[in-house]
């Protein structure tokens, strides 16, 4: 009887571990599907899009740095191919990133910081960055600017 309980326990534990593993995989896949759909919506609005699973622009920047000596060569190539492009959309992991290329968009973004929330992608290093323009909350940002 104790052997049956041991086998039942091991089987149940294995099922739990496999279920948790499967749920993690489903969650990651869903995050990237949502990201891909979001980037597609930006493309429909005229943005130049770079989707590179799993790391996004980081993998492309690394390869461009090695091959071309410039980590942002891909962004420069986009502008050269299409001078009318106003915005570029890419990602870091499952987090979307927008690069404003057009000067008017940059001016609109910088003149009305209250409309936009700052990304917390660098939250772990925020204490080191103190209160610079990029990561300062909106009210303090306007005062610094």
């Amino acid at each position: 009887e104790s052997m049956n309980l041991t086998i039942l326990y091991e089987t149940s534990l294995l099922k739990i571990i496999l279920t948790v593993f499967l749920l993690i995989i489903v969650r990651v896949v869903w995050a990237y599907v949502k990201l891909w759909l979001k980037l597609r919506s930006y493309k429909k609005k005229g943005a130049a899009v770079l989707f590179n699973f799993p790391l996004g622009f980081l993998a492309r920047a690394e390869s461009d740095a090695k091959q071309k000596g410039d980590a942002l060569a891909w962004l420069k190539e986009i502008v050269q191919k299409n001078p009318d492009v106003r915005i570029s959309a890419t990602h870091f992991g499952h987090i979307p990133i927008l690069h404003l290329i057009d000067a008017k968009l940059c001016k609109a973004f910088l003149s009305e910081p209250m409309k936009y929330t700052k990304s917390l992608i660098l939250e772990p290093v925020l204490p080191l960055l103190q209160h610079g323009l990029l990561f300062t909350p909106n009210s303090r940002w306007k005062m610094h600017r």
Side-chain angles (χ1 to χ4, degrees):
E1 185 175 305
S2 68
M3 188 166 169
N4 288 339
L5 286 175
T6 305
I7 292 172
L8 180 64
Y9 174 75
E10 289 174 0
T11 305
S12 297
L13 185 60
L14 181 62
K15 285 181 181 179
I16 290 171
I17 291 170
L18 288 175
T19 302
V20 168
F21 184 69
L22 182 64
L23 287 173
I24 290 170
I25 290 174
V26 167
R27 183 170 184 214
V28 169
V29 168
W30 179 242
Y32 277 97
V33 167
K34 286 189 333 186
L35 170 69
W36 182 76
L37 292 171
K38 186 173 213 61
L39 292 178
R40 257 184 73 187
S41 74
Y42 291 141
K43 188 172 187 171
K44 288 179 182 176
K45 295 176 184 176
V49 173
L50 171 70
F51 181 80
N52 194 352
F53 180 82
L55 293 177
F57 83 95
L58 193 60
R60 179 68 184 263
E62 183 180 357
S63 76
D64 280 354
K66 286 179 183 175
Q67 294 173 359
K68 301 175 184 175
D70 186 359
L72 293 178
W74 62 274
L75 191 56
K76 294 173 184 176
E77 290 167 3
I78 288 171
V79 174
Q80 287 173 351
K81 288 178 187 173
N82 183 2
D84 295 330
V85 72
R86 301 179 67 205
I87 193 165
S88 162
T90 185
H91 63 101
F92 177 69
H94 67 278
I95 301 167
I97 298 173
L98 299 176
H99 297 107
L100 302 177
I101 298 169
D102 184 56
K104 290 178 184 175
L105 286 176
C106 292
K107 183 178 179 180
F109 176 78
L110 291 172
S111 64
E112 298 184 46
M114 304 300 185
K115 284 186 174 181
Y116 312 101
T117 57
K118 307 249 176 160
S119 171
L120 295 180
I121 195 168
L122 296 175
E123 189 173 12
V125 293
L126 282 180
L128 298 174
L129 298 174
Q130 296 298 320
H131 298 291
L133 280 178
L134 290 178
F135 304 105
T136 302
N138 296 334
S139 57
R140 185 174 279 173
W141 180 90
K142 193 167 188 174
M143 187 175 63
H144 280 291
R145 190 178 143 246

